[in-house]
Amino acid sequence: MSTRSMIGKVEAGGRVRAVYCHWGGTPDSAGGTLANYWADPGKVDQLLEMGSLSHLGQEIGEWHDPADFSKVDQWSTFHGRDMGRGGPDYEAVEFATDRDYMDYARAIDCRYVYLWTAGGWRYAALPWGPWAGVPADMGGVEWVSLTAALQDGA
């Protein structure tokens, strides 16, 4: 089973640009990879330009067969480049605010959202499943420093 997530970046004016990531979205997987290998805003921009991911690796990498797991930790697997999927469903999405970003991620059943800001990576764990009981506007969900959470064993 996949742990879906979204990876985004705060742009000018507070807008958020983000992509979907299908596998390994937990803080100790995608979160650790983001904190350790994607701490440069230019690299984050390149990642977002590539569109949605099947799996986040330590770098963008090159085209590869998604069934070849020999570089799964090193290279990211993109739905477009590596799996031949195209169209607007696989491109980065823009949101007016970080709350709009959270709402969208929750609506498509993402469990975690990551956000690059001027202060580094932040993340939020979204309520998941019909029992979540959080209002649709996600008012009870807060951003947490990813680095601090990883140090605390998130």
Side-chain angles (χ1 to χ4, degrees), residues 38 52 61 67 119 132 140 146 150:
W38 296 93
S52 69
L146 181 58
L150 291 170

Side-chain angles (χ1 to χ4, degrees), residues 31-55:
T33 301
L34 289 168
N36 291 318
Y37 299 97
W38 296 93
D40 175 277
K43 280 185 69 174
V44 176
D45 288 336
Q46 291 172 356
L47 179 72
L48 298 175
E49 280 300 314
M50 295 296 293
S52 69
L53 299 115
S54 177
H55 170 77

Side-chain angles (χ1 to χ4, degrees), residues 15 23-24 37-38 43 48 65 88 105 123 129 134-135 142 148 150 152:
R15 296 188 62 79
W23 296 101
Y37 299 97
W38 296 93
K43 280 185 69 174
L48 298 175
D65 181 345
Y123 90 105
V134 173
E142 296 300 325
L150 291 170
D152 291 340

Side-chain angles (χ1 to χ4, degrees), residues 70-116:
S70 65
K71 296 201 182 276
V72 72
D73 290 332
Q74 183 180 358
W75 288 353
S76 298
T77 302
F78 294 93
H79 289 128
R81 180 192 70 189
D82 303 312
M83 301 174 82
R85 298 178 186 169
D89 289 344
Y90 300 100
E91 296 172 2
V93 182
E94 291 197 19
F95 304 94
T97 68
D98 62 336
R99 290 296 167 181
D100 292 342
Y101 169 44
M102 282 185 178
D103 287 342
Y104 178 85
R106 174 66 178 94
I108 62 168
D109 291 328
C110 288
R111 182 67 180 97
Y112 297 96
V113 287
Y114 298 93
L115 186 64
W116 175 262

